[in-house]
Amino acid sequence: MDARRIAESIHWVGAVDWDRRLFDDLIPLPDGTTYNAYLVQGAEKTALLDAVDPAMLDKLLARLSSAGVQKIDYVVSHHTEQDHSGGIPCILAQYPEAQVLASDKARGLLMDHLGLPADRLRVVQNGEKVDLGGLTLEFIYFPWVHWPETMLTWVPERRVLFTCDLFGSHLATSDVLAHGDPQVLPAAKRYYAEIMMPFRNFIERNWARVTALDPAVIAPSHGPVYDEPRLILDAYQEWVFGPPKNLVLLPYISMHGSTRILVEHLVDACARRGVRIEQMNLVDTDVGRLAMLLVDAATIVLGTPTILNGPHPNVAYVALLANLLKPKARYLSVIGSLGWAGKTVEQLGAMVSSLKLEMLPTVLCKGLPKPADLEAIEQLAQTIAEKHAGL
Ligand code: FEO
């Protein structure tokens, strides 16, 4: 359990969770995760940046011990969520001189969520600097990535930027450094889609502050450390700022096969017109994969039978999820079957109301699709192709 060097006098002292398979009882973790914590040792003071998930505190304590850390002066809390701050009460007990440094909004959150005593907490302001002796901690408020209190820490002498959840990825790995390897990007994209995409506007607003620093290292609190930051900065540039792509996301359920016929016809009709389309059966859904596709999709087509007057609950779940994740998609359609009547289209439209999508023609057939229904699917594919031509 050694501390791993990421720059002179700066070490990774986190934990790798190879076995965790679910986060927040919502987000699948096919690749596990890491809880990164960092030790920044100046000539006079020592700071611990974040403090891992409480379930893995023993790993953090073992790494601090192996690094011979006798005294911690500051514990920087970038973000109150328990996977980074849950270990702080134990650190405060083990290191009685330690003071927690956090943003103004974090103060109340840390007291509410972790019961931290007020006399161990010190609010640092946006832009404030704390001198460790030859190394400086400079705090940068960056709210809503992804809680209101989130902030970053910049160490100018080493040009290392600590970003907590921002630029993170749920990826268990024995390599602390990414070394510019693009194979780490799918996990970073999945993380962006699940956690950061709803806050795209806040990333846009503060983007120039990050790039102006020209960091040599970006050290998030999940997943690999970017010792070649261009890799993750370029990826975010595309995910946050780029237009949606020529991609249709088609999540669907088919109870008796009618909706599936429409789905398969639409996939063929789009492919013939050069439109990429991903069909996704919601019987068994990886919501992370769905979220990743939402990063790029210009069009969402929901395929559903009508059940009890409305959409199948699995399809309704995806609509509500998309509404929360706030993807860049521009167009929406609904296809499916019904037995006699229903309000499926209206109900699904209301569930994605915050996305401001342009509704394309919908195709609902009674029972088995007839030739006219399949022709309507052809027309829908043509409309999609024309809309996507301008992307
Ligand atoms: Fe990794 Fe928002 O906690």
Side-chain angles (χ1 to χ4, degrees):
M1 289 291 163
D2 55 336
R4 313 273 294 273
R5 182 186 187 277
I6 64 164
E8 189 185 343
S9 305
I10 301 179
H11 288 80
W12 177 89
V13 288
V16 182
D17 195 338
W18 297 93
D19 297 332
R20 190 164 177 180
R21 287 291 168 265
L22 200 58
F23 198 87
D24 289 346
D25 279 353
L26 171 66
I27 298 168
L29 301 180
D31 304 310
T33 192
T34 73
Y35 315 107
N36 299 338
Y38 301 95
L39 196 64
V40 182
Q41 294 173 291
E44 289 145 26
K45 307 266 190 190
T46 294
L48 175 68
L49 276 55
D50 292 326
V52 312
D53 189 281
M56 295 223 140
L57 238 157
D58 57 326
K59 307 289 189 299
L60 169 62
L61 294 173
R63 290 188 206 282
L64 292 174
S65 172
S66 82
V69 176
Q70 303 289 329
K71 181 168 172 258
I72 290 176
D73 299 280
Y74 305 115
V75 181
V76 175
S77 174
H78 292 114
H79 171 33
T80 305
E81 198 167 6
Q82 289 83 345
D83 52 319
H84 309 292
S85 292
I88 290 179
C90 176
I91 294 291
L92 293 185
Q94 297 252 346
Y95 295 91
E97 297 95 342
Q99 189 175 39
V100 177
L101 306 182
S103 70
D104 52 1
K105 287 209 167 55
R107 187 174 189 277
L109 288 171
L110 287 165
M111 291 167 73
D112 288 342
H113 288 268
L114 301 171
L116 290 194
D119 62 354
R120 302 292 298 271
L121 273 163
R122 176 177 141 197
V123 169
V124 289
Q125 301 300 329
N126 183 31
E128 186 172 336
K129 296 174 183 172
V130 169
D131 181 17
L132 303 180
L135 290 178
T136 310
L137 305 179
E138 184 175 336
F139 304 103
I140 301 169
Y141 280 19
F142 200 131
W144 293 109
V145 287
H146 59 125
W147 280 20
E149 87 293 16
T150 46
M151 70 173 189
L152 321 181
T153 298
W154 172 239
V155 177
E157 295 85 357
R158 302 286 181 270
R159 292 180 40 235
V160 178
L161 183 63
F162 298 93
T163 57
C164 201
D165 278 342
L166 182 65
F167 303 125
S169 50
H170 286 311
L171 178 62
T173 169
S174 59
D175 297 324
V176 171
L177 300 175
H179 293 307
D181 182 353
Q183 288 191 68
V184 302
L185 287 180
K189 184 174 187 178
R190 178 180 273 261
Y191 189 92
Y192 166 79
E194 294 161 337
I195 307 292
M196 293 295 160
M197 187 159 62
F199 304 100
R200 224 162 9 103
N201 291 347
F202 291 90
I203 298 175
E204 269 188 73
R205 206 174 293 168
N206 288 294
W207 186 250
R209 296 166 72 204
V210 169
T211 53
L213 293 171
D214 189 23
V217 175
I218 287 181
S221 293
H222 293 292
V225 171
Y226 294 96
D227 48 339
E228 295 176 29
R230 213 57 263 165
L231 182 71
I232 191 68
L233 290 173
D234 286 350
Y236 263 66
Q237 184 84 39
E238 181 189 322
W239 301 334
V240 173
F241 296 92
K245 295 187 171 158
N246 177 22
L247 171 67
V248 177
L249 175 59
L250 175 48
Y252 76 99
I253 285 284
S254 186
M255 292 165 70
H256 297 291
S258 295
T259 299
R260 183 190 299 277
I261 292 170
L262 298 180
V263 164
E264 291 177 350
H265 202 92
L266 182 63
V267 170
D268 278 352
C270 283
R272 259 186 274 119
R273 291 168 171 83
V275 175
R276 196 181 138 220
I277 181 164
E278 288 269 352
Q279 94 180 50
M280 181 178 279
N281 192 327
L282 299 177
V283 167
D284 179 17
T285 315
D286 173 353
V287 295
R289 181 165 172 268
L290 183 105
M292 286 171 83
L293 290 165
L294 282 170
V295 173
D296 295 325
T299 298
I300 301 167
V301 178
L302 299 169
T304 181
T306 292
I307 173 172
L308 300 175
N309 200 42
H312 190 285
N314 291 23
V315 180
Y317 174 71
V318 164
L320 293 171
L321 198 63
N323 199 52
L324 290 173
L325 291 176
K326 296 189 172 62
K328 291 182 279 195
R330 294 179 184 171
Y331 311 108
L332 174 70
S333 178
V334 177
I335 64 173
S337 62
L338 50 83
W340 42 93
K343 299 269 186 205
T344 295
V345 173
E346 295 88 330
Q347 289 183 21
L348 284 173
M351 287 172 198
V352 293
S353 59
S354 70
L355 301 186
K356 310 285 184 254
L357 299 168
E358 179 183 336
M359 184 62 103
L360 303 181
T362 59
V363 183
L364 291 188
C365 59
K366 271 197 175 181
L368 282 168
K370 317 295 183 300
D373 301 314
L374 298 181
E375 179 51 33
I377 289 287
E378 286 289 334
Q379 287 303 317
L380 173 59
Q382 183 60 30
T383 302
I384 291 170
E386 287 166 11
K387 295 283 185 189
H388 285 204
L391 295 174

